[in-house]
């Protein structure tokens, strides 16, 4: 978002980036502590003479209000907030890349740049759509289970449905990775270069690295903005 919408703003320095990364990890660990503390394994009787093992959060009865408050907090922080933020940011990016005309005559190079811009927008929209489709069933199922328990508690395949929606939710990370490496960008090309540089004899290493830095520095800024190097 910053690279496309505000390309002239200075990039964050090393100290700021390190602090933000550490902050994200610290907040994530703190938020996950209650979930980890109350997660346990228990045996549930779904129907008569049929028992199934359930592994998940089991809060004491006298702390159900705290659990619901905790769940709604996580739901807002991990799903509602990111979806709203990504929607607003991606809409602004789409406005810049898709609808903003490239100055000059419509040469083949300009048309190629436009195609690259629109491919970036489609990729971002696909990432957002995948995030919603993967996590919405999980949170929807959890809301129904915790706030309207009578709807699902007597269902024969309740646990199976829970594990299915949980598996779909966790698959979002894999889907993101597939989107990043399969879209036609420079990810695979640079990955192959890294492998070649790693296995090349040491007396070629400095020259190859210098050549790579020289080539990277020669890329026009507009091309770098139009075709995002997703990392």
């Amino acid at each position: 978002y910053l690279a496309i919408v505000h390309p002239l703003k200075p990039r964050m320095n090393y100290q700021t980036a390190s602090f933000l990364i550490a902050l994200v990890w610290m907040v994530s660990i703190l938020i996950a502590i209650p979930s980890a503390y109350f997660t346990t394994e228990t045996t549930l009787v779904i129907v008569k003479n049929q028992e199934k093992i359930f592994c998940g959060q089991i809060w004491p009865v006298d702390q159900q209000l705290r659990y619901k408050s905790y769940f709604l907090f996580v739901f807002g922080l991990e799903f509602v907030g990111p979806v709203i933020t990504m929607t607003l940011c991606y809409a602004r990016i789409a406005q810049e890349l898709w609808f903003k005309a490239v100055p000059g005559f419509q040469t083949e190079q300009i048309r190629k740049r436009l195609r690259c811009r629109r491919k970036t927008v489609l990729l971002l929209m696909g990432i957002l759509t995948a995030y919603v489709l993967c996590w919405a069933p999980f949170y929807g199922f959890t809301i129904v289970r915790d706030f309207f328990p009578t709807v699902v508690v007597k269902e024969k395949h309740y646990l199976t449905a829970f594990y299915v929606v949980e598996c779909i939710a966790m698959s979002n990370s894999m889907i993101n990775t597939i989107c990043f490496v399969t879209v036609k960008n420079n990810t695979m090309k640079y990955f192959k270069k890294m492998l070649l540089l790693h296995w090349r004899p040491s007396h070629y290493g400095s020259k190859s690295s210098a050549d790579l830095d020289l080539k990277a520095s020669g890329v026009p800024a507009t091309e770098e903005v139009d075709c995002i190097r997703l990392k």
Side-chain angles (χ1 to χ4, degrees):
Y1 173 81
L2 292 175
I4 294 174
V5 180
H6 304 289
L8 299 181
K9 282 190 174 182
R11 306 296 172 87
M12 69 176 66
N13 54 35
Y14 176 81
Q15 290 78 9
T16 303
S18 301
F19 171 77
L20 290 177
I21 292 173
L23 180 63
V24 168
W25 276 94
M26 289 175 60
V27 172
S28 301
I29 292 173
L30 290 175
I31 292 175
I33 287 176
S35 176
Y37 180 79
F38 288 105
T39 295
T40 186
E41 180 183 291
T42 186
T43 302
L44 298 180
V45 179
I46 306 301
V47 293
K48 187 177 181 180
N49 297 327
Q50 184 178 2
E51 298 180 347
K52 288 189 177 183
I53 302 298
F54 172 75
C55 180
Q57 296 184 55
I58 301 179
W59 291 57
V61 177
D62 58 344
Q63 296 191 26
Q64 289 302 304
L65 181 60
R66 291 184 179 180
Y67 165 72
K68 292 180 179 180
S69 301
Y70 169 73
F71 170 77
L72 291 177
F73 170 73
V74 173
F75 174 64
L77 188 66
E78 294 186 355
F79 184 76
V80 177
V83 168
I84 294 176
T85 302
M86 286 190 292
T87 300
L88 295 176
C89 290
Y90 291 173
R92 188 71 177 88
I93 291 174
Q95 183 181 4
E96 287 289 325
L97 296 184
W98 194 289
F99 300 103
K100 193 174 182 179
V102 178
F105 295 103
Q106 293 295 312
T107 63
E108 181 60 29
Q109 184 178 2
I110 291 180
R111 284 194 291 269
K112 183 179 179 181
R113 187 180 300 176
L114 287 172
R115 289 194 298 268
C116 190
R117 283 182 169 190
R118 290 171 179 175
K119 181 177 65 177
T120 300
V121 174
L122 292 176
L123 174 64
L124 294 176
M125 294 298 107
I127 292 172
L128 175 59
T129 303
Y131 184 80
V132 173
L133 293 179
C134 287
W135 282 100
F138 173 80
Y139 282 110
F141 183 90
T142 307
I143 289 174
V144 173
R145 181 196 66 188
D146 295 338
F147 291 85
F148 309 97
T150 56
V151 177
V152 297
V153 72
K154 295 181 180 180
E155 290 293 328
K156 182 179 180 180
H157 302 290
Y158 155 72
L159 275 184
T160 302
F162 171 75
Y163 287 130
V164 168
V165 296
E166 186 180 45
C167 182
I168 294 174
M170 300 307 169
S171 69
N172 180 248
S173 298
M174 178 188 67
I175 293 173
N176 279 347
T177 304
I178 294 175
C179 290
F180 291 152
V181 300
T182 56
V183 70
K184 190 178 179 182
N185 59 18
N186 292 324
T187 303
M188 294 305 297
K189 183 176 74 174
Y190 287 124
F191 180 71
K192 291 177 181 178
K193 281 188 177 182
M194 290 171 59
L195 291 179
L196 290 175
L197 290 174
H198 177 73
W199 293 108
R200 191 168 294 181
S202 58
H203 60 277
Y204 291 112
S206 59
K207 181 179 178 181
S208 301
S209 300
D211 292 342
L212 184 60
D213 292 340
L214 182 61
K215 291 179 181 178
S217 61
V219 178
T222 54
E223 292 290 341
E224 184 180 359
V225 172
D226 291 342
C227 298
I228 301 176
R229 270 66 168 175
L230 293 170
K231 299 178 181 178

